[in-house]
Amino acid sequence: MNITRENIDALNAVVKVDIAKEDYNDKVEKILSDYRKTANIPGFRKGHVPMGMVKKQYGKAVLVDEVNKLLQDALNKYLTEEKLDVLGNPLPKPQDNLDWDADKLSFEFELGLAPEFDVNLKPKKAFIHYNIVAGDKMINDQVENIQKQYGKLVSQKEVAKDSEITGIFKNEEREIENTVTLTLDKFKGKATEKKFVGAKAGDVIELKTKGLYDDEHELMHALKLGHDDVHGLDINVTFTITEINERVLADLDQELFDKLFGKGVVTSVTELKEKIKEDAEKQFTQQSDQKLLNDVTEYLVENTKFDLPSVFLQKWMQTAGEQELSEDQAKEEYEKSEKSLRYQLIEGKLITDNDIKVTMDDIKNHAKNMIKAQMAQFGQMNPTDKELEDIAARVLSNQEEARRISEQIISQRLLAMYKEKANIKTKEITYDDFVKEVYGDK
């Protein structure tokens, strides 16, 4: 067997594989001999079928199968030994008139080669890593939310500005009938608030949906309609009051602190606020890290320039999936996936250059930590290592889940590498200002 390569250009090559009869003949003869021992052909006893008849019936199929196995093994070994970084899989060049009886068989395969490129993690304009802090207003609002959540309801005879009002929104024509509990501060205008203040259980308030709320999601919840249904909705609805309550805030005492965090963990309002700040900023760190990861990824895809063997990849995509694609379909698929392919190559280079590895122990330990955190949410604070091992084994028996966890670890390690090596500046910001700056003031 002989393998040679012709480089067409930096991204395309053709590999030629010459296979001589002696490379496969002994194996083919042995398989046919085994077939002869077991073949059931009418008119002949098992094991006594003439070899000529076995070869006539099975010879071509066995020959083709063995040659294809040889080709596959030879190509894989060649690509490994030559350290060729190929995209997709080798594509066999069509051969319509191949003489399978010849003493030498020649096959050609097209290769798409991965491009060589450099990755720059130090652009002139630094990436921003946000240090998101919980401001006093956010902390105080959260304290009040806790007091409301653990407070009690006291029945009222009439609606006041801070009442919680339960009632039924109705519109017969649109078949709307939905029971909700609401507070007046959610309404857009003071005129709506005035309609409610002083009303009693049984009273019917007439309202217009247009301009009723600042946020359409509030209207979706109130009327139990979909997003498209409430967009621009301008109809009359009624709200029949069924219940009026005042929510009395819970006292910020030791009983409440123990309910929230366990006995003696928090012993004062100051410690409560510190705990709220700490928990909030842990979540903010995740958002900040994800923002940095997204920004670096987007920058690398847009600014790391290299060519791809696009013609080869489109040709490969025609036959790579479950269903064969036409040339136009393959071109469309390539255009959709080009950015993703570029990032895969960039990520692969970063992983190689920075010696980032993920072992099975890494995946198992990550899974156990995830499981432990999930169990803690349900009050199981001290699971045994055996429990964690058993659950992790079940989770990781799903190959898709194991792959997903591996990708999470890779992302974490890439992020750590970016923090160490990329051009980054830190910006301290409150969460509200972070939302405005990153997502716009919505």
Side-chain angles (χ1 to χ4, degrees), residues 254-306:
Q254 194 59 48
E255 183 182 354
L256 178 61
F257 301 154
D258 290 347
K259 268 185 191 175
L260 291 169
F261 303 107
K263 193 168 181 61
V265 175
V266 169
T267 59
S268 67
V269 174
T270 300
E271 289 181 9
L272 170 66
K273 289 184 176 182
E274 288 171 355
K275 185 72 173 166
I276 290 170
K277 180 179 174 67
E278 178 189 339
D279 290 346
E281 290 180 355
K282 277 182 186 175
Q283 295 181 22
F284 297 160
T285 298
Q286 292 175 1
Q287 292 187 21
S288 173
D289 283 351
Q290 188 61 54
K291 170 66 177 160
L292 176 62
L293 191 61
N294 292 346
D295 286 349
V296 176
T297 299
E298 185 177 346
Y299 168 82
L300 292 176
V301 171
E302 295 299 326
N303 294 279
T304 306
K305 302 299 182 186
F306 53 82

Side-chain angles (χ1 to χ4, degrees), residues 337-366:
S337 59
E338 183 183 0
K339 188 174 279 192
S340 172
L341 176 57
R342 286 181 177 278
Y343 180 66
Q344 286 175 28
L345 290 170
I346 294 166
E347 183 184 65
K349 181 171 177 60
L350 288 169
I351 289 169
T352 301
D353 289 353
N354 292 279
D355 198 27
I356 295 173
K357 295 184 175 70
V358 177
T359 67
M360 197 60 216
D361 281 343
D362 293 332
I363 294 172
K364 185 163 64 169
N365 288 333
H366 189 89

Side-chain angles (χ1 to χ4, degrees), residues 212-442:
L212 188 60
Y213 292 101
D214 275 321
D215 187 348
E216 283 188 345
H217 289 91
E218 296 284 353
L219 189 59
M220 288 168 57
H221 170 69
L223 305 184
K224 207 173 182 180
L225 293 176
H227 186 275
D228 292 341
D229 294 322
V230 301
H231 185 66
L233 185 65
D234 186 7
I235 60 172
N236 294 319
V237 293
T238 61
F239 184 85
T240 304
I241 298 173
T242 58
E243 192 177 336
I244 307 164
N245 293 297
E246 176 191 6
R247 184 168 288 276
V248 179
L249 299 182
D251 291 331
L252 294 173
D253 55 17
Q254 194 59 48
E255 183 182 354
L256 178 61
F257 301 154
D258 290 347
K259 268 185 191 175
L260 291 169
F261 303 107
K263 193 168 181 61
V265 175
V266 169
T267 59
S268 67
V269 174
T270 300
E271 289 181 9
L272 170 66
K273 289 184 176 182
E274 288 171 355
K275 185 72 173 166
I276 290 170
K277 180 179 174 67
E278 178 189 339
D279 290 346
E281 290 180 355
K282 277 182 186 175
Q283 295 181 22
F284 297 160
T285 298
Q286 292 175 1
Q287 292 187 21
S288 173
D289 283 351
Q290 188 61 54
K291 170 66 177 160
L292 176 62
L293 191 61
N294 292 346
D295 286 349
V296 176
T297 299
E298 185 177 346
Y299 168 82
L300 292 176
V301 171
E302 295 299 326
N303 294 279
T304 306
K305 302 299 182 186
F306 53 82
D307 293 326
L308 290 169
S310 56
V311 173
F312 168 84
L313 288 170
Q314 289 173 47
K315 193 185 295 186
W316 171 69
M317 284 179 173
Q318 285 185 257
T319 56
E322 292 181 5
Q323 292 186 329
E324 194 164 324
L325 303 179
S326 67
E327 282 188 32
D328 288 343
Q329 287 172 324
K331 183 179 180 182
E332 184 181 348
E333 188 64 29
Y334 172 76
E335 287 169 355
K336 282 186 203 170
S337 59
E338 183 183 0
K339 188 174 279 192
S340 172
L341 176 57
R342 286 181 177 278
Y343 180 66
Q344 286 175 28
L345 290 170
I346 294 166
E347 183 184 65
K349 181 171 177 60
L350 288 169
I351 289 169
T352 301
D353 289 353
N354 292 279
D355 198 27
I356 295 173
K357 295 184 175 70
V358 177
T359 67
M360 197 60 216
D361 281 343
D362 293 332
I363 294 172
K364 185 163 64 169
N365 288 333
H366 189 89
K368 286 165 69 175
N369 288 333
M370 284 172 47
I371 294 160
K372 192 173 183 179
Q374 289 168 357
M375 292 175 78
Q377 291 177 356
F378 295 96
Q380 293 175 268
M381 306 304 293
N382 296 301
T384 66
D385 196 56
K386 185 178 186 311
E387 286 178 305
L388 294 173
E389 286 277 353
D390 290 346
I391 298 171
R394 289 199 297 274
V395 169
L396 298 179
S397 65
N398 182 330
Q399 289 188 346
E400 187 65 25
E401 188 64 19
R403 183 188 61 78
R404 188 182 67 79
I405 291 173
S406 176
E407 288 174 354
Q408 286 180 351
I409 298 170
I410 289 286
S411 289
Q412 290 173 359
R413 292 181 181 175
L414 283 171
L415 178 65
M417 184 270 293
Y418 294 153
K419 287 180 179 179
E420 179 187 347
K421 297 185 177 181
N423 183 15
I424 292 173
K425 72 174 183 180
T426 302
K427 180 175 181 178
E428 187 168 296
I429 193 170
T430 66
Y431 181 72
D432 287 342
D433 287 342
F434 169 78
V435 171
K436 288 177 185 176
E437 184 166 320
V438 173
Y439 305 108
D441 188 3
K442 296 181 181 178

Side-chain angles (χ1 to χ4, degrees), residues 62-73:
V62 171
L63 170 63
V64 171
D65 189 48
E66 285 306 308
V67 168
N68 281 331
K69 287 178 185 175
L70 268 177
L71 281 172
Q72 191 63 51
D73 291 344

Side-chain angles (χ1 to χ4, degrees), residues 6-29:
E6 178 188 357
N7 290 329
I8 308 302
D9 54 37
L11 299 173
N12 295 275
V14 173
V15 168
K16 184 179 180 184
V17 183
D18 293 325
I19 298 180
K21 195 167 189 176
E22 55 264 27
D23 293 324
Y24 58 81
N25 195 56
D26 287 350
K27 188 68 185 283
V28 170
E29 289 293 330

Side-chain angles (χ1 to χ4, degrees), residues 99-133:
D99 181 7
W100 288 95
D101 295 322
D103 288 338
K104 188 178 84 169
L105 300 173
S106 294
F107 302 88
E108 290 186 338
F109 296 85
E110 296 178 64
L111 302 182
L113 305 177
E116 293 186 5
F117 56 90
D118 294 317
V119 179
N120 176 24
L121 288 173
K122 295 189 179 291
K124 289 181 181 178
K125 185 178 178 182
F127 302 108
I128 296 176
H129 188 219
Y130 292 94
N131 177 24
I132 308 171
V133 296

